[in-house]
């Protein structure tokens, strides 16, 4: 818990009710799952002992903030197809990765989006950490029974994630497709989450580091995916939060030199863009490592930008990690 590193566990306890409410939100419908009804809201049944989470939305209509774009995308589809498309688009927006080839059935066309069929790496790592933190806070407060419940949840999720999230063929963490009961086979920088949250084994972390160095690393840092779709969470873009997670995930497994290389490349690109344009931006073209600010997506690259600024400042101050406890 990062807050506890600064203010102690007592400060973290003030957020415990909110953490538990959020957990209930994600696990709503868990009691309705079985071999026949394999998914409900944001939970998905993978086998008798395994429930993991997915992104989901209950609405079947265009997003209010992007009504015109969604309606145009659905044009030509039958009514039933439009409703499904709208739900899948909204679910992808919930992920924050709006949009990415991670959610696309063919890895290319936004009309073939299948977000709710996918059990994502990042979401389940985040929920593992949430369950672990809730357990720790209950233990601190002397509520051992509740602590044991959430610790058991965290351990079940970790075991399930390692079973379904590790792609043996690619030697990398990938999303899992519920319908085909197999890895999506699509490599993305979400694969660093298990390192950041210390879920990966040493050997898995070594394989992830190898692939990051050989395939993801470009002059400006780590690319998000290898698919050139025109979506903003794809090639050739890099995003500050993902660089941060990768850098500190690598450090926690002893890959300090690679982490330092990534940090230096990312900061160099940040500085180059700032020298030419006088601004920090939301995302960067790490492949060409130029000061071009237009790298795909539904809207122009945003100036600012909170996470870019924060990661740049933190990396410039050194690579001492603020990490979730093991």
């Amino acid at each position: 818990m990062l807050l506890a590193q600064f203010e102690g566990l007592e400060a973290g306890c003030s957020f415990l009710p909110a953490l538990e409410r959020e957990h209930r939100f994600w696990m709503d419908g868990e009691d309705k799952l079985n071999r026949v009804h394999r998914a409900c809201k944001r939970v998905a049944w993978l086998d008798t002992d395994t429930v993991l989470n997915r992104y989901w939305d209950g609405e079947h209509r265009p997003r209010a903030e992007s009504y015109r774009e969604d309606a145009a995308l659905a044009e030509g589809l039958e009514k039933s197809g439009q409703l499904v498309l709208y739900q899948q688009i909204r679910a992808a927006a919930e992920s924050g990765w709006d949009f990415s080839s991670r959610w696309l059935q063919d890895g290319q066309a936004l009309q073939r989006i299948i977000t709710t069929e996918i059990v994502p790496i990042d979401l389940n790592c985040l929920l593992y950490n949430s369950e672990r933190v809730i357990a720790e806070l209950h233990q601190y407060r002397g509520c051992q029974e509740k602590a044991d419940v959430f610790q058991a949840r965290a351990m079940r999720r970790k075991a399930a994630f390692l079973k379904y999230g590790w792609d043996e063929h690619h030697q990398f963490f990938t999303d899992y497709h519920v319908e085909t009961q197999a890895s999506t086979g699509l490599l993305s920088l979400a694969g660093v989450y298990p390192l950041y949250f210390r879920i990966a084994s040493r050997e898995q972390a070594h394989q992830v580091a190898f692939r990051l160095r050989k395939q993801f690393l470009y002059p400006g840092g780590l690319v998000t995916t290898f698919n050139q779709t025109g979506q903003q969470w794809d090639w050739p873009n890099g995003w500050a939060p993902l660089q941060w997670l990768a850098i500190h995930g690598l450090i926690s497994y002893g890959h300090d030199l690679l982490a330092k290389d990534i940090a230096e490349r990312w900061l160099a690109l940040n500085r180059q863009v700032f020298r030419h344009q006088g601004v920090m931006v939301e995302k960067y073209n790490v492949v060409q490592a130029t000061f071009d600010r237009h790298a795909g997506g539904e809207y122009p690259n945003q100036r600012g930008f909170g996470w870019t600024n924060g990661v740049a400042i933190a990396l410039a101050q050194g690579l001492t990690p603020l990490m979730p406890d093991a």
Side-chain angles (χ1 to χ4, degrees):
M1 292 177 297
L2 300 186
L3 178 65
Q5 292 185 23
F6 295 98
E7 300 183 27
L9 284 172
E10 190 61 41
C13 286
S14 64
F15 293 94
L16 184 54
L19 288 169
E20 290 188 288
R21 281 197 302 273
E22 182 181 40
H23 189 267
R24 287 194 295 271
F25 167 83
W26 286 104
M27 301 310 296
D28 186 23
E30 180 182 21
D31 58 334
K32 297 180 176 64
L33 299 180
N34 54 48
R35 191 176 300 276
V36 176
H37 302 288
R38 299 175 64 91
C40 180
K41 296 185 178 179
R42 293 170 176 84
V43 287
W45 187 94
L46 301 187
D47 62 44
T48 306
D49 301 315
T50 305
V51 173
L52 291 174
N53 288 80
R54 61 177 182 166
Y55 293 111
W56 180 85
D57 192 284
E59 298 286 347
H60 295 78
R61 58 186 178 185
R63 295 167 292 162
E65 70 276 15
S66 301
Y67 191 98
R68 180 170 58 185
E69 291 86 346
D70 292 355
L73 185 65
E75 195 171 322
L77 297 178
E78 294 184 0
K79 183 65 174 179
S80 59
Q82 291 181 349
L83 297 180
V84 170
L85 176 66
Y86 294 147
Q87 182 189 37
Q88 300 297 333
I89 287 284
R90 296 172 74 98
E94 181 179 67
S95 78
W97 287 52
D98 47 336
F99 295 102
S100 168
S101 53
R102 288 178 70 191
W103 318 128
L104 308 182
Q105 190 171 38
D106 61 0
Q108 291 292 325
L110 193 54
Q111 275 192 327
R112 296 178 63 79
I113 188 167
I114 54 168
T115 317
T116 62
E117 297 178 20
I118 292 169
V119 170
I121 306 164
D122 36 6
L123 174 59
N124 284 283
C125 287
L126 289 164
L127 285 169
Y128 160 76
N129 188 60
S130 176
E131 289 163 347
R132 196 180 53 77
V133 167
I134 292 170
E136 185 176 354
L137 292 175
H138 275 305
Q139 187 169 38
Y140 174 78
R141 295 178 67 186
C143 303
Q144 192 60 48
E145 186 175 351
K146 285 190 173 181
D148 290 344
V149 167
F150 277 95
Q151 184 63 22
R153 276 188 171 277
M155 292 303 99
R156 285 198 302 271
R157 187 182 296 275
K158 178 178 178 179
F161 178 80
L162 290 174
K163 177 179 179 180
Y164 290 100
W166 178 252
D167 186 319
E168 193 65 34
H169 173 71
H170 290 98
Q171 293 288 288
F172 203 77
F173 290 101
T174 61
D175 300 317
Y176 185 81
H177 192 274
V178 176
E179 299 299 322
T180 63
Q181 299 181 40
S183 162
T184 64
L186 192 147
L187 305 187
S188 78
L189 207 51
V192 303
Y193 274 76
L195 276 65
Y196 184 80
F197 289 109
R198 302 183 187 181
I199 295 172
S201 69
R202 286 281 167 185
E203 178 58 26
Q204 287 170 336
H206 174 75
Q207 294 298 333
V208 170
F210 175 81
R211 194 169 289 277
L212 291 178
R213 183 185 298 108
K214 293 296 184 182
Q215 290 184 269
F216 283 85
L217 188 58
Y218 281 87
L222 297 171
V223 73
T224 306
T225 76
F226 307 144
N227 293 341
Q228 191 172 6
T229 62
Q231 303 302 331
Q232 62 177 353
W233 289 85
D234 278 320
W235 193 97
N237 291 342
W239 296 77
L242 297 178
Q243 312 298 313
W244 176 266
L245 291 166
I247 289 164
H248 291 298
L250 288 166
I251 290 172
S252 68
Y253 286 87
H255 294 278
D256 297 42
L257 291 178
L258 177 56
K260 184 173 185 289
D261 188 13
I262 296 165
E264 288 175 347
R265 293 180 190 222
W266 179 254
L267 283 174
L269 178 55
N270 290 175
R271 289 167 177 146
Q272 180 190 19
V273 172
F274 189 83
R275 281 195 301 270
H276 282 88
Q277 298 182 350
V279 295
M280 305 291 279
V281 292
E282 180 188 29
K283 56 186 175 287
Y284 292 80
N285 182 332
V286 298
V287 175
Q288 295 176 328
T290 68
F291 51 89
D292 178 13
R293 288 170 42 222
H294 303 284
E298 289 188 308
Y299 55 84
N301 203 355
Q302 299 297 295
R303 296 183 178 188
F305 194 83
W307 57 34
T308 305
N309 299 341
V311 168
I313 291 169
L315 291 179
Q317 291 174 344
L319 292 181
T320 302
L322 290 174
M323 296 287 294
D325 298 330

